[in-house]
Amino acid sequence: MDCVFCKIIEGEIPSEKVYEDEDFLVIKDIRPVAPVHLLVLYKKHVGKIHQLSEEDRKKLSKVFELIAKVAEKSGILESGYRVVVNNGPDAGQEVDHIHFHVIGGKKLGKIA
Ligand code: AMP
Ligand code: ZN
C-alpha cells in the first residue's frame, strides 16, 4: 500500500517512536509546529472518519487514555495540549490514514 504511515508502521520508513501497542503507534511529527508534536497512528489503514467500522470505533475509544499517557511522558499533561484530526481536503489532510496530532509545549494560537 502506498501510504507513508503504513510504511512507518511496517518499519519500511524510519520514525522516532514514542509509544507502541497492538493498535497504535505514536511517533514524532517530522515537521513539528510546536516543541511537542506527536502523531498517534491507528495501525490499521483507514483513511477517513466515515470509513471506520464499529470495531475500529471501539478500538479508537482507547485513544484518549493513550493520549493522556504520551502527554504525561512528554511533560505537557498540566500545561495543556491540542488534539487535532484533519479529515478530508478542506481540513488539509495530507496523509489519508487516520491519525491524531498531539501538539503542545508552548502557548498555542486560536485554532482557525
Ligand atoms: P495531516 O495533514 O493531518 O494529514 O498531517 C500529516 C502529518 O504527517 C504532517 O504534520 C506531516 O508533517 C507528518 N508526516 C508526514 N510524513 C512523515 C514522516 N515520514 N514522519 C513523521 N511525520 C510525517
Ligand atoms: Zn495507511
Side-chain angles (χ1 to χ4, degrees), residues 1 3-7 9 44-46 96-97:
M1 167 126 20
C3 167
V4 63
F5 289 169
C6 281
K7 285 180 180 160
I9 289 158
K44 182 179 158 194
H45 181 89
V46 180
D96 196 31
H97 179 133

Side-chain angles (χ1 to χ4, degrees), residues 5 8 28-31 39 86 92-95 99 101:
F5 289 169
I8 286 173
K28 293 191 179 175
D29 197 292
I30 207 168
R31 283 180 275 127
L39 298 173
N86 290 318
Q93 184 180 8
E94 236 177 71
V95 182
H99 58 282
H101 296 253

Side-chain angles (χ1 to χ4, degrees), residues 57-105:
R57 289 194 292 267
K58 270 189 197 144
K59 288 185 173 170
L60 280 163
S61 69
K62 297 233 166 79
V63 80
F64 294 107
E65 186 183 353
L66 169 51
I67 287 170
K69 196 183 285 188
V70 294
E72 182 171 34
K73 210 170 158 180
S74 306
I76 57 169
L77 194 65
E78 299 300 336
S79 54
Y81 50 91
R82 181 171 289 155
V83 178
V84 174
V85 180
N86 290 318
N87 193 78
D90 279 0
Q93 184 180 8
E94 236 177 71
V95 182
D96 196 31
H97 179 133
I98 293 269
H99 58 282
F100 297 74
H101 296 253
V102 179
I103 300 165

